């Protein structure tokens, strides 16, 4: 929920009463509105004809100035013009200090305790922190108390009424902000486009490098295979031929009958001896049968 969305509703009863209030009654209405809890915006009340008539009154013009103080000024402004303003009660002083913190936060987000103690005339840091905590609970601002760094870090605040003539300054500031933002966005777009182009170029370079590396690797592998084949191929063929010849020689030896081979002198006697031994064997078999 946005801060200060219900503040206008808190002012509504005073707007209704102001339609018939003049002079002292209008001055009393200003005192009541600036003291009332939860009433932090006063522009609509300040613009009413009955209230603006007080600025022309010698008796009640100070009350109109008091309403201006609560609309868009700060506690240091009250201290500076204190003698020309009605005296403030404690509720008004506290409210004006809360509104002053909001105004200070419009200029910078980090508010040192030392600056706040001086501007708001707070006696101690503890009193200052209590004031800030109350403002946070009242939904005037949101932030964090940094006790280590002795500062208030403001996240965001309610909006205050604009002083006459400040609208043009605000518009100029917004135009400058918009121009700066546009320039920053343009610069970021250009950088993103440059990065995208560089990324695409790097990807293409890596792809080309990968293709070249793969081609070189294939060439090396093919050369390695060819060299290995030339070194090992003939030797393996001779070994295979020698093995086949050896196997054939062994096969021939197994198939040949050594008993049928006649070599050198005495081969005839060897044949006769074999025949005689065969006949003797047959005779022994016959004798065995007879026995």
């Amino acid at each position: 929920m946005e801060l200060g969305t219900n503040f206008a509703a808190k002012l509504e009863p005073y707007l209704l009463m102001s339609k018939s209030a003049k002079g002292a009654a209008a001055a009393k209405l200003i005192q009541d509105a600036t003291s009332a809890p939860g009433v932090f915006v006063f522009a609509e009340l300040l613009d009413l004809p009955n209230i603006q008539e007080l600025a022309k009154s010698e008796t009640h013009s100070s009350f109109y100035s008091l309403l201006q103080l609560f609309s868009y000024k700060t506690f240091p402004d009250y201290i500076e013009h204190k003698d020309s303003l009605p005296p403030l009660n404690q509720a008004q002083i506290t409210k004006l200090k809360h509104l002053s913190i909001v105004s200070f936060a419009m200029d910078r987000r980090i508010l040192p305790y030392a600056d706040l103690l001086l501007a708001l005339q707070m006696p101690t840091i503890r009193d200052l922190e209590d004031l800030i905590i109350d403002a946070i609970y009242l939904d005037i601002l949101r932030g964090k108390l940094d006790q280590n760094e002795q500062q208030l870090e403001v996240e965001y605040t309610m909006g205050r009424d604009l002083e006459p003539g400040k609208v043009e300054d605000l518009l100029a500031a917004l135009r400058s902000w918009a121009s700066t933002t546009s320039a920053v966005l343009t610069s970021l777009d250009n950088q993103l486009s440059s990065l995208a182009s560089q990324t695409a170029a790097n990807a293409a370079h890596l792809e080309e490098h990968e293709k070249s590396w793969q081609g070189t690797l294939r060439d090396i592998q093919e050369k390695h295979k060819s060299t290995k084949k030339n070194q090992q191929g003939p030797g393996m063929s001779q070994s295979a031929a020698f093995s086949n010849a050896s196997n054939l020689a062994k096969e021939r030896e197994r198939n040949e009958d050594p008993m049928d081979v006649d070599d050198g002198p005495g081969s005839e006697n060897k044949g006769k001896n074999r025949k005689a031994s065969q006949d003797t064997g047959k005779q022994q078999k016959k004798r065995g049968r007879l026995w």
Side-chain angles (χ1 to χ4, degrees):
M1 181 178 179
E2 187 178 354
L3 295 180
T5 54
N6 62 335
F7 293 158
K10 296 290 184 67
L11 183 65
E12 190 66 27
Y14 299 97
L15 294 176
L16 295 175
M17 290 185 290
S18 66
K19 292 180 179 180
S20 58
K22 293 186 178 181
K28 178 64 167 58
L29 183 66
I30 291 173
Q31 283 279 30
D32 293 342
T34 53
S35 302
V39 181
F40 293 101
V41 291
F42 305 94
E44 292 182 72
L45 183 62
L46 192 63
D47 290 339
L48 293 176
N50 293 348
I51 300 300
Q52 289 185 353
E53 288 179 0
L54 296 177
K56 302 175 183 179
S57 172
E58 295 181 0
T59 307
H60 305 295
S61 60
S62 61
F63 289 94
Y64 183 79
S65 298
L66 179 66
L67 188 58
Q68 289 178 314
L69 177 70
F70 277 86
S71 293
Y72 42 74
K73 294 186 179 181
T74 63
F75 188 76
D77 293 323
Y78 166 71
I79 297 299
E80 184 179 355
H81 302 93
K82 184 177 181 179
D83 295 337
S84 61
L85 294 170
L88 301 181
N89 57 38
Q90 188 58 46
Q92 288 173 315
I93 291 175
T94 301
K95 181 182 291 189
L96 185 58
K97 288 182 178 180
H98 285 157
L99 292 171
S100 298
I101 296 174
V102 173
S103 294
F104 298 154
M106 295 174 64
D107 296 329
R108 50 180 175 170
R109 191 178 67 86
I110 304 298
L111 300 176
Y113 282 0
D115 294 348
L116 293 175
L117 288 170
L118 180 62
L120 302 178
Q121 296 188 357
M122 303 298 296
T124 64
I125 291 178
R126 177 60 184 271
D127 293 329
L128 175 62
E129 289 180 339
D130 289 341
L131 180 73
I132 295 171
I133 291 171
D134 290 341
I136 293 174
Y137 278 112
L138 289 170
D139 214 22
I140 296 173
L141 61 87
R142 291 181 186 172
K144 182 178 69 174
L145 296 173
D146 189 342
Q147 294 179 331
N148 292 329
E149 298 294 333
Q150 296 286 289
Q151 62 188 19
L152 168 63
E153 298 179 4
V154 181
E155 295 178 4
Y156 48 95
T157 69
M158 60 164 283
R160 289 199 70 184
D161 302 326
L162 289 176
E163 186 176 356
K166 293 294 184 180
V167 176
E168 291 75 12
D169 295 339
L170 179 60
L171 290 175
L174 289 174
R175 291 191 189 98
S176 176
W177 176 81
S179 177
T180 302
T181 303
S182 178
V184 170
L185 291 176
T186 301
S187 177
L188 289 175
D189 289 339
N190 293 335
Q191 291 182 14
L192 289 174
S193 299
S194 177
L195 287 174
S197 301
Q198 185 64 34
T199 301
N202 290 340
H205 177 71
L206 288 175
E207 183 179 359
E208 185 66 24
H209 177 74
E210 181 69 16
K211 289 180 180 179
S212 177
W213 182 82
Q214 291 291 346
T216 303
L217 182 61
R218 283 193 298 269
D219 292 342
I220 293 173
Q221 290 176 342
E222 290 176 359
K223 290 179 181 179
H224 180 70
K225 290 179 181 179
S226 177
T227 303
K228 188 175 180 180
K229 184 176 180 181
N230 292 335
Q231 291 176 352
Q232 297 181 357
M236 292 181 66
S237 299
Q238 292 175 2
S239 176
F242 178 79
S243 177
N244 292 334
S246 178
N247 291 333
L248 289 173
K250 291 179 181 179
E251 186 67 23
R252 289 173 183 172
E253 289 177 358
R254 284 196 297 268
N255 293 333
E256 288 179 353
D257 186 2
M259 302 300 294
D260 295 338
V261 177
D262 294 334
D263 294 329
S267 60
E268 293 179 357
N269 294 330
K270 291 180 181 179
K272 291 179 180 180
N273 290 336
R274 284 198 302 270
K275 187 174 181 182
S277 63
Q278 289 175 359
D279 292 341
T280 303
K282 289 180 181 180
Q283 290 176 1
Q284 289 177 356
K285 289 181 180 179
K286 289 180 180 180
R287 289 189 190 134
R289 290 176 186 175
L290 291 176
W291 293 341

